[in-house]
Amino acid sequence: MALIITDECINCDVCEPECPNEAISQGAEIYEIDPGKCTECVGHYDTPQCVEVCPVDCIPKDADHQENENQLWVKYEKLTGNKRPA
């Protein structure tokens, strides 16, 4: 499942540089996450880094983009060209 940034975002700029897939960008009013690039940091880290650094806790799972861990790994492989570790 991809993550989403809610309108509670304060535009603090800490999440964008933490995303290893460059899925986070500045939107019209708040930061946004591209669900096509978000793997919840699967393949990179044990936990989503944007969630870890967000000071206002405004990055929940996006119910409109539900994916299981295997689907996130497939997306990771497609985005990076790296294979899932054995």
Side-chain angles (χ1 to χ4, degrees):
M1 179 178 298
L3 301 171
I4 189 169
I5 297 176
T6 68
D7 60 3
E8 295 171 355
C9 175
I10 60 171
N11 290 310
C12 67
D13 303 321
V14 298
C15 62
E16 183 181 23
E18 295 300 318
C19 182
N21 296 326
E22 299 180 352
I24 300 174
S25 61
Q26 179 65 51
E29 296 182 25
I30 60 172
Y31 278 90
E32 298 175 348
I33 297 177
D34 178 346
K37 292 182 177 180
C38 179
T39 63
E40 295 184 46
C41 289
V42 162
H44 299 282
Y45 301 102
D46 292 335
T47 59
Q49 296 302 287
C50 59
V51 174
E52 293 290 326
V53 299
C54 181
V56 293
D57 194 27
C58 67
I59 310 176
K61 291 181 184 274
D62 183 353
D64 291 337
H65 295 94
Q66 296 189 24
E67 298 165 301
N68 63 36
E69 187 172 351
N70 285 331
Q71 291 169 313
L72 292 172
W73 273 107
V74 169
K75 190 189 303 185
Y76 163 80
E77 290 175 352
K78 184 178 175 183
L79 289 168
T80 67
N82 296 326
K83 294 291 182 188
R84 182 178 184 171

